[in-house]
Amino acid sequence: MPPEITELVNSLLKDPVKVAVDPVSSPVDAIHQTVYFVDRGNKTQLLALLVEQLKVKNALVFTRTKHGANKVARELSKYGITAAAIHGNKSQTARQQALADFRAGKLQALVATDIAARGLDIEELSHVFNYNLPEVPETYVHRIGRTGRAGRGGEAIAFCDFSEKPLLREIEKLTHRSIPCLLYTSPSPRDA
């Protein structure tokens, strides 16, 4: 659980007990994980490029903030990718509509914060993108667990800028895995 939720639980309950079915540090083996080292300013460009190159059917994109979710959804639309943001500042009706559109295939990307994505169960979700690495390593496992369900494979791709490298180390420490890393450099204007 995120630290804020744990704090809230501890402030409201007396001697709470935590029950976990599956260790939080165990992502499904059917999920193929990759990390791209990328400058913060090039993340959206890389996301749009990967959605196109990998022929992504549907993707859940995680951002750290509500403002970030709105911005990424807007920017993806500029690249011709149908996208909507889903987070706590959206009305219940707007969240339900975005989710219904995503499930119906009208949206290629659903950009979400962690709290908004809790409990989302989307059948046959092909890709999860961690636009920002989470500050709590267990959250990474929860995020990528949205894909690779019911014995199906899934693709989890994370973006890591220089400031997020310590977060990546914590994720690898928790999961006892080294995630394959690639370097993305933006094409120069003359290459485009």
Side-chain angles (χ1 to χ4, degrees), residues 122-135:
I122 301 162
E123 285 189 37
E124 299 184 38
L125 179 65
S126 69
H127 290 76
V128 169
F129 287 92
N130 283 287
Y131 189 88
N132 305 111
L133 288 179
E135 293 176 356

Side-chain angles (χ1 to χ4, degrees), residues 146-180:
R146 306 290 96 206
T147 188
R149 295 193 164 209
R152 293 184 187 96
E155 189 84 22
I157 300 171
F159 298 160
C160 180
D161 64 47
F162 181 78
S163 69
E164 295 174 308
K165 284 185 177 184
L167 301 174
L168 177 60
R169 283 193 296 275
E170 289 300 313
I171 290 166
E172 290 180 327
K173 183 176 163 186
L174 173 75
T175 61
H176 306 290
R177 295 178 186 198
S178 177
I179 304 170

Side-chain angles (χ1 to χ4, degrees), residues 40 43-45 47-48 61-79 81-85 109-112 129 131-132 159:
R40 183 177 300 156
K43 286 184 176 185
T44 305
Q45 180 183 32
L47 178 58
V61 179
F62 285 100
T63 61
R64 198 174 290 131
T65 66
K66 298 168 191 173
H67 172 72
N70 289 335
K71 183 179 177 194
V72 170
R74 271 192 317 272
E75 290 178 0
L76 284 175
S77 296
K78 291 177 185 175
Y79 283 96
I81 297 165
T82 53
L110 190 60
V111 186
F129 287 92
Y131 189 88
N132 305 111
F159 298 160

